Amino acid sequence: MQFRLFCVVALALVIGPAGGRAADSGAEDARAARLREIVEEHFLGQCCTACGGMCSAEEILASLDPASQMVIGPAPDLDFIRGLSADAPPPEVQVDSGGRVSVRLASFGRRTGRQFLAATGSLDPSRLSSIRLDLRGNDGGCLESALEIAGAFAPRGALLLDIAGRSGVRIFQSRGPRRFAGLPVQVLVDERTASSAEVLAWLLRRYAGARILGRRTAGKGTVQEVYRVDPRARLVLTTGVYRLPDGTPLGGTGIEPDSEERNE
């Protein structure tokens, strides 16, 4: 009996690792196949040309742009799947005795646009002297929230942005209502101001005549979306590029401020 038990254990030790390796190999092949499927359908760019479409998962990821990456871990919450921030802080709105409004926007969650409109909706524009939006350190987030804020400064129906991707072009227009027409606007930016925050700054300059103060922005002009690869992996993938109404590129150039002045 002891000999039999030893044989079974020894056999398991020999077969077990090989079986594990086969399972691991199968999982890697399935992951690579799923990555190829997602990338071929959605990626804005060329991928896997060097390996004839039979790349490993590592080769696929290495051929993507720097903003695309695979995230390994437990199944994320719905906010992450949607590419949004679950805990974006609400806008900080202050009004001083001179009617000067200061709004701090640290990032854009899916509720930030509505929160901005709610926080400023009770203000009487006729009693205000200026408005300042602080976008320093804001690396973007929910584009729709940024465009919702821009709509408070742009005429209803104005072209705000389009996004060009593999599946076509999405066009975004202002829905209004325009609340701050004619009010002097300042926007504070720095080298960490990126993506949808850069879009908002540019739109405020165009439609509200805003003065942009600070340092040149990050210049992130691409759009990322999140796709499920398998139960433990999600692919953050570049799927489009921002196109501003006058053709101004964001990618790599950023927004040049009107002044290096910094209002703290």
Side-chain angles (χ1 to χ4, degrees), residues 80-94:
F80 180 83
I81 292 172
R82 290 172 174 165
L84 307 181
S85 172
D87 56 355
E92 301 173 17
V93 180
Q94 297 179 337

Side-chain angles (χ1 to χ4, degrees), residues 19-215:
R21 285 194 296 271
D24 290 344
S25 177
E28 283 299 313
D29 289 345
R31 177 172 287 179
R34 175 60 178 152
L35 282 172
R36 283 195 297 272
E37 177 186 349
I38 296 170
V39 168
E40 288 173 1
E41 183 175 356
H42 301 288
F43 181 54
L44 187 70
Q46 297 296 318
C47 176
C48 310
T49 56
C51 52
M54 297 302 293
C55 302
S56 67
E58 289 77 11
E59 290 170 325
I60 294 171
L61 294 171
S63 69
L64 301 177
D65 68 303
S68 299
Q69 60 180 310
M70 189 160 67
V71 179
I72 305 294
D77 60 27
L78 190 57
D79 282 309
F80 180 83
I81 292 172
R82 290 172 174 165
L84 307 181
S85 172
D87 56 355
E92 301 173 17
V93 180
Q94 297 179 337
V95 185
D96 68 15
S97 58
R100 291 180 289 269
V101 183
S102 297
V103 183
R104 169 67 179 148
L105 293 163
S107 62
F108 297 113
R110 70 176 185 271
R111 303 179 186 90
T112 305
R114 294 194 298 273
Q115 291 170 337
F116 172 86
L117 296 179
T120 60
S122 61
L123 301 178
D124 181 356
S126 66
R127 296 178 177 272
L128 303 179
S129 59
S130 65
I131 184 167
R132 183 182 71 175
L133 277 69
D134 187 350
L135 300 178
R136 289 172 298 181
N138 185 327
D139 62 359
C142 178
L143 173 65
E144 286 77 5
S145 279
L147 297 183
E148 199 168 3
I149 294 171
F153 298 85
R156 187 186 299 271
L159 177 62
L160 300 180
L161 181 76
D162 65 47
I163 297 176
R166 290 283 291 272
S167 58
V169 177
R170 296 171 60 198
I171 298 174
F172 298 86
Q173 295 175 293
S174 172
R175 300 176 184 174
R178 191 179 193 182
R179 297 184 176 181
F180 302 111
L183 194 66
V185 180
Q186 289 184 344
V187 182
L188 306 184
V189 300
D190 62 15
E191 66 279 359
R192 297 170 297 160
T193 305
S195 193
S196 50
E198 293 178 276
V199 171
L200 176 57
W202 190 93
L203 291 172
L204 293 179
R205 173 186 272 170
R206 178 180 178 88
Y207 291 116
R211 281 182 51 79
I212 298 179
L213 309 177
R215 296 189 295 277

